[in-house]
Amino acid sequence: MTLEQTLPLCIAGTWRLGGGARYATCYPATGEPVAWLNAASLDDVEAAVQGAHQAFLHSGWAQRKPHERAAVLYRIAGLIRERAEELAQLQRQDNGKPINETRALVASAAGTFQFFAAACETLEETITPSRGDFVSMSLYEPMGVVAAITPWNSPIASEAQKVAPALAAGNAVVIKPAEITPLLALQLARICDDAGLPKGLVSVLPGKGSLLGDALTRHPLVKRVSFTGGTGTGKHIAHIAADKMMPVSLELGGKSPTIVLEDADLDHAVAGVLYGIFSSSGEACIAGSRLFVARKLYEPFMARLTAAAAQLRLGDPADERTQMGPLISAAHRESVERYVALGLAAGGRLRLGGQRPSGGLFDQGYFYPPTILEGLGNQQQVCQEEIFGPVLVAMPFDSEAELVEQANDSLYALAAGIWSRDYKRAWALGRKLQAGTVWINTYKQFSISTPFGGWRDSGLGREKGRLGILQYMEQKSLYWGMNEQPLAWAGVEAGQ
Ligand code: NDP
């Protein structure tokens, strides 16, 4: 790929230029262009969905035996691993994450394809206990064309989490990656081609979500949308889905509490809280952005946390020692800055950060340092709204009852963390927290084998897990008559 070229898109089994406006994707560490491409147009949406529908009907993919579909998915996993370094470097340029993090995301994408290949070839359909003269069965069928709409923060991993189970289930997929980070979705489509996936089963439509994502969601041939992104967009998609009676899964925002009880192992808690909020520069739905510390421990804990946060290495994403890269864009950094200003205007104090760094690369890219605010209550806007940046708001708590009330006092309910040596207490507290995922003495650890999703404004449905493949299938019951005699109701006797 050279900068002068305009990247082709993968639409309905062919690689060609998009019909929309030409634009450049930029490396957030320098603001320089990485690649040029033409956005997809509404005609491209139509072509991609029609192509996917035809491929679903006529490529024979859905009819292949599960182990045959799995073989292709294993090949996709293998090719991702073969090209891992190239993909990780491209993702670093695409969204500015440090190279170690993008390597982990690429590895997780390969693992996701492998996992859903296994889920595909081991998925069991059941014979249910018969309550009549019949054999009754519960089966699963693919849905047809699935739309996968993804955000910019973890491209290849987000896409794999949708594309792998959707293909495993026998569907076709149209991917709408974030306009500003389309490169990994395009590479994934190349890999699908190279792995021998029938043409047309995967298309990629970069460009504006308000145009393309909306059209894709409304398209009558799209039978399911799997969306990851902001809560506002998720609700918009849910409204459209309601009109179409279409199932959706929505992985949305978060404002997750991390709780340090007075008996916590401080080394573990400091490391975990730092990782929970500042890794990925806080651009993570599950970022532990509200910190509650037992009052007795508050000062000593905050002193250690602040000292450790000040040592985090912010800088060049290409440098393997870098822990935090730039934010995704200038506009996003300004939004983070506005939230910090709001917190200060509401009476908050800066314990750390809050100022753009300067000099060298810092003057070119969209860097923002680890920032800790305190002196605010859970009701403040900075505690209620998702900042999606490296901003932690720390609050002391007195009683567990007060803690639980505040931790749960959020429209979001995606994740939570608890740090305590007392496992019984942590268990009891974990059961009281309202969240899709609770981590005890760890944070931001993921396993493809464990379902993930949020409550309330954090989403609907679950991704991952062995049964995650069922999100992309319709359930069907089948009855096989075993009667010796015709059904009695009509009064017809055998042989008459
Ligand atoms: P957005 O909701 O703005 O965008 C997500 C995707 O939706 C993008 O591809 C976007 O396209 C597209 N989109 C935008 N408008 C529409 C529309 N009207 N119809 C259909 N699609 C549309 O989110 P962000 O990009 O800002 O991503 C950050 C958000 O994602 C955060 O809130 C974060 O919490 C959430 N997120 C949730 C995760 C989870 O698993 N729960 C994981 C990661 C992030 P485009 O950008 O091209 O306009």
Side-chain angles (χ1 to χ4, degrees), residues 148-154 158 161-162 176-180 206-217 227-234 236-237 240 250-254 283-286 332 386 388 412 414 452-454 458-459 463:
I149 305 180
T150 54
W152 44 259
N153 60 329
S154 304
S158 301
Q161 271 169 39
K162 300 177 187 316
K176 209 309 279 173
E179 181 184 26
I180 51 180
K208 286 222 171 322
S210 51
L211 183 73
L212 308 176
D214 184 87
L216 200 52
T217 305
F227 170 79
T228 300
T231 297
T233 316
H236 175 77
I237 288 172
I240 300 172
L250 305 171
E251 299 290 351
L252 309 176
E283 292 174 329
C285 53
I286 32 78
H332 186 55
E386 186 180 41
F388 221 58
Y412 296 111
L414 190 60
F452 176 76
S458 289
E463 285 193 324

Side-chain angles (χ1 to χ4, degrees), residues 136-490:
S136 47
M137 306 176 75
S138 177
L139 312 174
Y140 300 98
E141 306 281 8
M143 298 173 131
V145 181
V146 168
I149 305 180
T150 54
W152 44 259
N153 60 329
S154 304
I156 198 167
S158 301
E159 277 117 32
Q161 271 169 39
K162 300 177 187 316
V163 175
L167 290 177
N171 300 292
V173 192
V174 179
I175 310 173
K176 209 309 279 173
E179 181 184 26
I180 51 180
T181 57
L183 303 183
L184 274 291
L186 290 166
Q187 287 302 313
L188 186 58
R190 280 271 179 227
I191 286 173
C192 290
D193 267 4
D194 295 348
L197 188 78
K199 295 237 176 258
L201 279 179
V202 169
S203 286
V204 182
L205 302 173
K208 286 222 171 322
S210 51
L211 183 73
L212 308 176
D214 184 87
L216 200 52
T217 305
R218 291 180 195 279
H219 200 293
L221 289 175
V222 169
K223 302 299 182 200
R224 176 180 194 92
V225 172
S226 177
F227 170 79
T228 300
T231 297
T233 316
K235 287 183 177 177
H236 175 77
I237 288 172
H239 277 109
I240 300 172
D243 279 342
K244 286 174 68 180
M245 288 296 283
M246 171 179 70
V248 283
S249 40
L250 305 171
E251 299 290 351
L252 309 176
K255 193 74 195 177
S256 301
T258 313
I259 297 160
V260 181
L261 299 179
E262 56 274 15
D263 61 357
D265 177 321
L266 295 195
D267 292 339
H268 283 245
V270 166
V273 170
L274 288 180
Y275 181 63
I277 179 65
F278 296 127
S279 61
S280 314
S281 296
E283 292 174 329
C285 53
I286 32 78
S289 49
R290 289 185 294 149
L291 173 64
F292 294 95
V293 185
R295 192 176 294 277
K296 263 198 221 151
L297 200 63
Y298 187 80
E299 260 317 312
F301 182 77
M302 290 307 295
R304 284 190 63 173
L305 185 80
T306 308
Q311 299 302 313
L312 291 174
R313 293 181 297 275
L314 174 71
D316 182 356
D319 184 335
E320 297 197 339
R321 290 163 307 170
T322 294
Q323 290 162 297
M324 290 173 62
L327 299 181
I328 188 73
S329 65
H332 186 55
R333 178 168 65 174
E334 282 161 22
S335 153
V336 171
E337 287 174 328
R338 275 195 298 277
Y339 273 113
V340 173
L342 264 175
L344 295 176
R349 298 182 300 278
L350 271 174
R351 183 123 195 178
L352 183 73
Q355 291 286 330
R356 285 184 192 187
S358 58
L361 202 57
F362 292 149
D363 293 337
Q364 298 171 50
Y366 317 121
F367 292 89
Y368 197 77
T371 294
I372 303 177
L373 280 169
E374 61 183 357
L376 292 162
N378 187 57
Q379 269 312 309
Q380 302 291 342
Q381 209 171 339
V382 286
C383 290
Q384 291 293 320
E385 293 178 14
E386 186 180 41
I387 299 175
F388 221 58
V391 180
L392 177 70
V393 187
M395 292 166 276
F397 69 89
D398 292 305
S399 73
E400 196 166 307
E402 169 210 338
L403 163 73
V404 170
E405 195 185 314
Q406 291 190 43
N408 287 339
D409 181 16
S410 170
L411 287 176
Y412 296 111
L414 190 60
I418 300 170
W419 299 90
S420 169
R421 283 199 176 89
D422 181 341
Y423 268 81
K424 285 187 185 162
R425 190 173 170 206
W427 162 266
L429 180 57
R431 298 302 302 257
K432 288 181 199 155
L433 295 177
Q434 296 163 356
T437 297
V438 176
W439 285 289
I440 297 175
N441 291 331
T442 187
Y443 201 88
K444 215 176 168 186
Q445 300 301 305
F446 279 120
S447 162
I448 186 65
S449 53
T450 309
F452 176 76
W455 301 3
R456 302 202 288 262
D457 274 21
S458 289
L460 270 183
R462 294 289 177 271
E463 285 193 324
K464 306 185 181 179
R466 204 162 64 84
L467 300 181
I469 189 172
L470 298 184
Q471 295 262 343
Y472 297 92
M473 304 185 98
E474 291 283 11
Q475 195 164 11
K476 178 186 281 176
S477 300
L478 207 68
Y479 288 75
W480 298 67
M482 295 290 160
N483 319 50
E484 296 292 343
Q485 296 293 324
L487 293 176
W489 182 84

